[in-house]
Amino acid sequence: EVQLVQSGGGLVQPGGSLRLSCAASGFTFRSYWMHWVRQAPGKGLVWVSRINNDGGSTTYADSVKGRFTISRDNAKNTLYLQMNSLRAEDTAIYYCARGVGGASRDWGQGTLVTVSS
Amino acid sequence: DIQMTQSPSSLSASVGDRVTITCQASQDITNYLNWYQQKPGKAPKLLIYGASTLETGVPSRFSGSGSGTDFTFTISSLQPEDIATYYCQQYNTVLWTFGQGTKVEIK
């Protein structure tokens, strides 16, 4: 069974940093692209970032480019999202997702990030 | 970036009704379109990929069609468990984009 277990969310002040983790099991992690998608409270889904299977290629939404860094450790079967210079508008539930073709078939449980003073 | 315009933003229908949601892309995305269902407090679930292919295990009352810029998602006979928000998502480019979502309620 595919599982994506997320950790690392919480309350952070504007300008602060946070790192999200997504531990994968039940599939060959190093073979798949991975994505981060977020959802502000009461709002729709917004794609944030993606990383290819070996970590050599990354892409970001314009809204987070230069502030967020996606990475992965294939030895630990774990995906990361380092978030710096956080803003109030980054407040959201963040989901990791496994990419299969152009879709996300498997999703983590989501982790809430709240940026507030 | 490719913009996805989804409509309506919400709808209310009776059990057994046919429900249709549309999604329009700002440029040609061939058939690189997925549909997801999200229930409150839960992660999204993939229902349809490649515009019209039903994901394994998804009931056949769900279907999708379209190509180019105009796409349609249909629930042939609405069931109480279908209450959710539905999103389209394009993957024609590496920068994925989602539609704004359609909230489906029971009348």
Side-chain angles (χ1 to χ4, degrees):
Chain A
E1 178 194 5
V2 172
Q3 282 200 313
L4 297 170
V5 179
Q6 298 181 227
S7 59
L11 174 65
V12 61
Q13 291 188 338
S17 298
L18 209 56
R19 188 177 83 158
L20 306 183
S21 298
C22 172
S25 62
F27 66 100
T28 306
F29 181 70
R30 65 180 181 273
S31 296
Y32 291 89
W33 291 28
M34 297 294 294
H35 299 260
W36 288 100
V37 175
R38 70 184 181 184
Q39 186 169 36
K43 303 296 184 182
L45 301 170
V46 176
W47 176 84
V48 172
S49 182
R50 64 95 177 163
I51 186 168
N52 75 336
N53 58 316
D54 66 9
S57 176
T58 59
T59 311
Y60 300 91
D62 288 344
S63 58
V64 306
K65 198 176 298 182
R67 300 188 299 123
F68 289 12
T69 302
I70 189 172
S71 63
R72 65 192 297 160
D73 185 336
N74 285 345
K76 295 183 177 179
N77 290 342
T78 303
L79 173 73
Y80 302 100
L81 185 68
Q82 177 67 44
M83 303 184 294
N84 299 332
S85 303
L86 282 161
R87 307 166 179 167
E89 54 265 36
D90 295 319
T91 294
I93 296 172
Y94 285 74
Y95 294 99
C96 62
R98 179 173 75 131
V100 180
S104 291
R105 280 195 169 82
D106 305 287
W107 297 68
Q109 82 277 17
T111 188
L112 178 62
V113 172
T114 303
V115 184
S116 175
S117 54
Chain B
D1 294 2
I2 298 176
Q3 308 303 316
M4 305 302 294
T5 303
Q6 194 174 332
S7 62
S9 57
S10 66
L11 65 88
S12 181
S14 299
V15 172
D17 281 356
R18 184 180 185 87
V19 168
T20 299
I21 298 168
T22 64
C23 188
Q24 185 171 59
S26 60
Q27 65 188 70
D28 188 341
I29 59 170
T30 60
N31 68 332
Y32 296 142
L33 185 101
N34 304 317
W35 290 96
Y36 296 86
Q37 175 193 66
Q38 187 181 32
K39 296 184 177 181
K42 300 294 186 182
K45 175 186 176 183
L46 178 66
L47 298 182
I48 289 169
Y49 61 93
S52 60
T53 303
L54 201 63
E55 175 72 342
T56 301
V58 173
S60 59
R61 64 179 180 275
F62 296 101
S63 65
S65 64
S67 66
T69 61
D70 295 303
F71 301 86
T72 301
F73 172 81
T74 301
I75 307 173
S76 61
S77 177
L78 186 68
Q79 300 302 304
E81 60 267 31
D82 301 336
I83 300 313
T85 301
Y86 294 84
Y87 295 91
C88 61
Q89 174 244 319
Q90 68 81 21
Y91 57 101
N92 187 63
T93 66
V94 294
L95 301 179
W96 290 1
T97 45
F98 289 88
Q100 305 96 314
T102 297
K103 187 174 184 179
V104 174
E105 298 175 321
I106 295 286
K107 192 180 295 182

